[in-house]
Amino acid sequence: MQRPFLRLFVTPAALVAAGFLLAMAAILQYAVLAHIPGELTPGGFTLRNFQEMLKPLYAGVFFDTVRLCFLTAVLALLAGYPLALAMVRARNPYIKSAILIISVTPLFLGEVVRTYAWLIVLGNQGFINGFLLWLGIIDRPLTLMFSTGGVVMGLVHVTLPVVVIMLSAAISHIDRDLEKAAVALGARPLRVFLTVTLPLSMPGIVAALTTGFAWTFSAFATPQIIGGGRVNMVSNLVYSLGFSSFNFPFAAALSIAGLLLTALSLALFKLLLRPLERMGAK
Amino acid sequence: MSGTEDALRLDGVGKQFGTFTALHEAWLRVRPGEFVTLLGPSGCGKTTLLNLIAGFLEADAGEIFIGGKLVTQTPVWERDIGIVFQSYALFPHMDVARNVGYGLRARGVSRAEEAARVAEALAMVRLSSMAGRRPRQLSGGQQQRVALARALVIRPSLLLLDEPFSALDRNLRMEMQFELKEIQQKLGVTTIFVTHDQAEAMSMSDRIAVMSEGRILQLDTPEGVYRRPAHRFVAGFIGDATVLRGRLKGMDGVSAGVEAGGLTFSVPAAPLEGTAPGAEVDVFLRPEHLQPAEGEAGLAGTVVSRAYLGDRAELLVQTEGAGRVMLRVPGLAALERWPAGAPIRMAVGSAEPVAFPAG
Ligand SMILES: Nc1ncnc2c1ncn2[C@@H]1O[C@H](COP(=O)(O)OP(=O)(O)O)[C@@H](O)[C@H]1O
Ligand SMILES: [Mg+2]
């Protein structure tokens, strides 16, 4: 009785997956073909695209991307943990909902809309500069746009909702009786947090860091718009090579490398964070 | 602290949740070393009262004293209490020894002393060999004993337990009851124990506070709440009582005569004070308040069901016109003479029941 239904339900997903696989295969194929300047159709088989990537100009972008992703994940974690904790622990349902809405709605705005909002905040005539100038703390606008700091701020904003969702899921699984037991045994709130709540949140923290990292790796609009060409991530490089220079083979090779780098970083992450994860193991 | 100081004193402590009163003014004095049980059905406010004593809840009214010290405004971590939760609440990320030592570390005890006291506490609950295990590697009973050791190792001035054994199976529960009682007596620690199981309360407590709907109805020894219930709720909740409607015949200062189902019972007069002779009363009958009668005398009925318990049996009997009652008979006689459906005649037993004005 179950099987025909199952087959029916799985079909759409299987079709989509097959589509993705085909696209990946096409990209893989492009990546090993030669680029003929001035032509849209590629030439014959070559591995030159991958050699090209090792040039400092391109390798540097990969390095920067990893650095930005890591920084973003850590900052999103630092900003997201208190939010998630407050959301899970708030007794008042209105406060709970307010935190949920504030931290999660950005997810539904889309990256482009959110990033344009940052333009208004970060620009030379933007909110921050305007405010600081008005206060007289600075006499010239700070360069917030087209800077790494600005891009990271935007990326953290984009990543925060996922991090908060993952952390709050983990925190809500911590048995409140454990904290009550700790307080009753004479531990002050800070000690309870450091010895019970935080260690038991570790699996969630590791998951949030990892997801935040991977999530940021795929960011495009934020570095494109706030970075304005001065802060480049792998996705921006792929875009400019593919759609400005029409070097599809090199863009394809960069995509593949980006994918591999993400996988590699995540594996490394998992390995490095294992002791942390163990801390909260049951 | 002087020797006559109460280990715990509640002066009119009350708690509201919104408009709902979970606890009406509770008054309670517990002597040092005493084992007091809060007994009542689910939802009657036992946990609320325990949480107020522990400091997890703030009282709306009244004052709480622990060891003669006013603690109504004292945060939980300064109240010097040991708590055992129903869920054990062992820290899953620490081994048994670190779990037990948690309260000592919070108190800044030296490492050497922590190790010594943890070892001593684990020996007390017979778990010395389990020091390096994680909680999930222990059985339910072992986890419960670790929780007990963790609560006692800090030498608390008050030990609080909230239905600690209700997740255990019957045999283990009895074993844990004996073990807790033994340890409690050895250490002499004042204990407040919460349960909804009257047999558990009867077997362990020095005194029982019977609660219903946010009130402490009676605070007395196990024998007191069993033999001299002060309230019809208590009479119905403790022991297996059936209610027989009857009439007050007369009373003197100490006891009253009540006629019910054709039998005449002698009951304490106090609960019937102010009731006029001839008024309707409810007699709370337990199995030992009736006995089988020979011949044609007594209250007639038919055995509905029989619970054989070895040396004795309990019969549920449908009487003619007076509802159902229970009575206790020797086990062998029950097998021979009173299968379900057999006729039986009953007389007044040796123990004295209680009666309350008809409600
Ligand atoms: N935080 C709370 N908010 C509202 N009502 C509560 C809260 N805690 C307990 N209650 C109510 O108070 C009553 C007593 O609860 P509790 O003390 O847990 O009972 P018990 O432990 O005897 O089963 C129950 O009716 C319960 O629903
Ligand atoms: Mg309870």
Side-chain angles (χ1 to χ4, degrees):
Chain A
M1 269 313 280
Q2 280 185 358
R3 296 216 155 187
F5 278 103
L6 264 186
R7 216 168 284 169
L8 196 68
F9 289 154
V10 166
T11 308
L15 284 177
V16 171
F20 274 121
L21 272 181
L22 284 177
M24 284 302 301
I27 289 177
L28 195 61
Q29 192 199 357
Y30 259 99
V32 292
L33 296 180
H35 171 60
I36 304 164
E39 299 259 348
L40 280 181
T41 40
F45 177 83
T46 177
L47 288 177
R48 257 195 57 109
N49 294 324
F50 288 96
Q51 281 169 356
E52 192 80 358
M53 248 182 263
L54 300 176
K55 284 188 181 164
L57 175 65
Y58 301 121
V61 173
F62 277 98
F63 181 76
D64 281 349
T65 304
V66 171
R67 200 169 53 99
L68 281 180
C69 289
F70 184 72
L71 198 62
T72 303
V74 170
L75 290 177
L77 175 70
L78 292 180
Y81 192 90
L83 268 180
L85 190 65
M87 184 167 85
V88 173
R89 295 297 159 80
R91 287 216 194 115
N92 185 328
Y94 295 106
I95 294 177
K96 237 182 169 72
S97 317
I99 300 176
L100 182 71
I101 289 167
I102 290 170
S103 54
V104 176
T105 29
L107 201 58
F108 303 113
L109 284 179
E111 208 186 337
V112 177
V113 176
R114 266 181 293 175
T115 305
Y116 272 109
W118 278 105
L119 291 185
I120 299 169
V121 177
L122 298 175
N124 280 0
Q125 276 84 46
F127 172 75
I128 294 182
N129 274 320
F131 189 62
L132 291 179
L133 282 170
W134 179 74
L135 282 180
I137 293 175
I138 51 173
D139 47 18
R140 273 186 299 135
L142 299 172
T143 323
L144 297 170
M145 283 299 292
F146 315 126
S147 72
T148 307
V151 171
V152 168
M153 221 182 283
L155 287 174
V156 168
H157 186 216
V158 176
T159 315
L160 199 59
V162 217
V163 168
V164 169
I165 291 171
M166 300 202 74
L167 287 173
S168 59
I171 294 171
S172 62
H173 279 114
I174 299 175
D175 181 0
R176 294 305 303 272
D177 276 357
L178 296 176
E179 286 160 351
K180 286 172 81 177
V183 194
L185 286 165
R188 287 163 179 279
L190 181 63
R191 177 185 278 269
V192 175
F193 176 74
L194 292 177
T195 57
V196 178
T197 318
L198 193 59
L200 290 175
S201 321
M202 276 308 167
I205 288 177
V206 170
L209 267 182
T210 317
T211 313
F213 185 90
W215 190 264
T216 314
F217 215 101
S218 64
F220 170 72
T222 307
Q224 187 78 12
I225 297 168
I226 302 182
R230 270 180 249 177
V231 183
N232 278 316
M233 292 177 66
V234 175
S235 54
N236 308 115
L237 197 57
V238 170
Y239 176 78
S240 71
L241 280 164
F243 298 95
S244 305
S245 318
F246 296 106
N247 187 346
F248 290 136
F250 191 38
L254 284 170
S255 307
I256 301 273
L259 209 60
L260 288 178
L261 189 63
T262 314
L264 204 73
S265 312
L266 291 183
L268 195 69
F269 245 67
K270 191 118 186 91
L271 206 68
L272 291 177
L273 294 177
R274 190 166 291 166
L276 274 190
E277 213 169 4
R278 281 234 187 90
M279 210 183 206
K282 315 215 159 172
Chain B
M1 197 194 335
S2 76
T4 55
E5 207 91 71
D6 292 315
L8 171 69
R9 193 171 116 208
L10 304 181
D11 280 359
V13 174
K15 180 70 191 173
Q16 304 243 133
F17 294 113
T19 56
F20 173 74
T21 306
L23 189 71
H24 298 269
E25 278 193 18
W27 298 79
L28 183 69
R29 302 180 71 160
V30 179
R31 291 182 288 270
E34 204 177 8
F35 192 120
V36 171
T37 296
L38 308 179
L39 172 67
S42 175
C44 71
K46 305 180 296 291
T47 298
T48 302
L49 181 49
L50 207 69
N51 279 335
L52 286 164
I53 298 170
F56 292 125
L57 288 176
E58 224 172 288
D60 298 326
E63 304 288 1
I64 302 168
F65 299 85
I66 295 177
K69 215 177 79 196
L70 179 69
V71 296
T72 316
Q73 304 292 333
T74 307
V76 183
W77 60 87
E78 284 171 11
R79 287 200 186 186
D80 194 29
I81 44 175
I83 302 194
V84 177
F85 294 87
Q86 183 185 345
S87 63
Y88 315 135
L90 297 179
F91 306 122
H93 56 303
M94 299 178 198
D95 64 19
V96 166
R98 286 190 68 76
N99 259 285
V100 175
Y102 190 91
L104 297 174
R105 291 194 296 282
R107 282 166 172 70
V109 163
S110 76
R111 288 202 169 194
E113 191 185 341
E114 180 192 335
R117 281 169 68 176
V118 166
E120 185 190 349
L122 284 177
M124 177 182 73
V125 295
R126 299 179 289 114
L127 283 176
S128 301
S129 59
M130 303 288 176
R133 295 236 191 142
R134 284 287 176 97
R136 68 174 159 77
Q137 297 170 308
L138 303 179
S139 71
Q142 288 170 333
Q143 291 187 32
Q144 192 59 265
R145 300 216 300 270
V146 174
L148 186 60
R150 184 179 67 177
L152 287 173
V153 75
I154 58 174
R155 296 172 192 152
S157 42
L158 206 55
L159 177 64
L160 308 177
L161 306 99
D162 194 354
E163 315 221 10
F165 306 141
S166 57
L168 304 177
D169 65 52
R170 200 184 124 78
N171 285 336
L172 195 52
R173 190 157 71 219
M174 303 259 290
E175 197 181 304
M176 287 299 301
Q177 287 168 7
F178 281 119
E179 190 161 343
L180 170 64
K181 186 68 195 172
E182 192 189 327
I183 291 172
Q184 188 266 336
Q185 278 175 335
K186 198 167 78 187
L187 300 180
V189 58
T190 312
T191 301
I192 309 294
F193 185 94
V194 164
T195 184
H196 62 264
D197 177 346
Q198 48 112 354
E200 188 166 80
M202 298 290 283
S203 70
M204 302 179 74
S205 319
D206 294 322
R207 284 192 298 163
I208 299 174
V210 185
M211 294 181 65
S212 170
E213 293 176 352
R215 290 177 208 277
I216 297 179
L217 296 179
Q218 186 173 4
L219 176 65
D220 208 336
T221 59
E223 198 221 348
V225 293
Y226 189 82
R227 308 236 337 232
R228 296 177 301 278
H231 197 282
R232 44 181 304 141
F233 174 84
V234 180
F237 191 72
I238 310 276
D240 305 306
T242 49
V243 180
L244 212 57
R245 182 57 60 89
R247 243 168 235 296
L248 179 63
K249 284 181 21 181
M251 63 173 141
D252 55 35
V254 183
S255 57
V258 166
E259 192 275 329
L263 302 173
T264 302
F265 296 94
S266 164
V267 298
L272 291 171
E273 204 166 297
T275 309
E280 288 203 316
V281 295
D282 285 332
V283 188
F284 284 73
L285 290 178
R286 300 218 179 89
E288 67 271 24
H289 294 142
L290 292 170
Q291 62 188 23
E294 302 300 332
E296 294 302 297
L299 177 59
T302 311
V303 176
V304 178
S305 68
R306 181 183 67 188
Y308 177 66
L309 302 166
D311 62 323
R312 68 203 147 85
E314 279 175 6
L315 306 178
L316 180 62
V317 176
Q318 177 69 50
T319 65
E320 284 161 16
R324 292 185 166 187
V325 295
M326 305 239 288
L327 85 161
R328 186 168 297 158
V329 294
L332 204 58
L335 288 180
E336 287 168 356
R337 295 184 53 190
W338 295 299
I344 187 168
R345 285 194 165 268
M346 295 161 291
V348 173
S350 53
E352 199 174 70
V354 286
F356 293 92

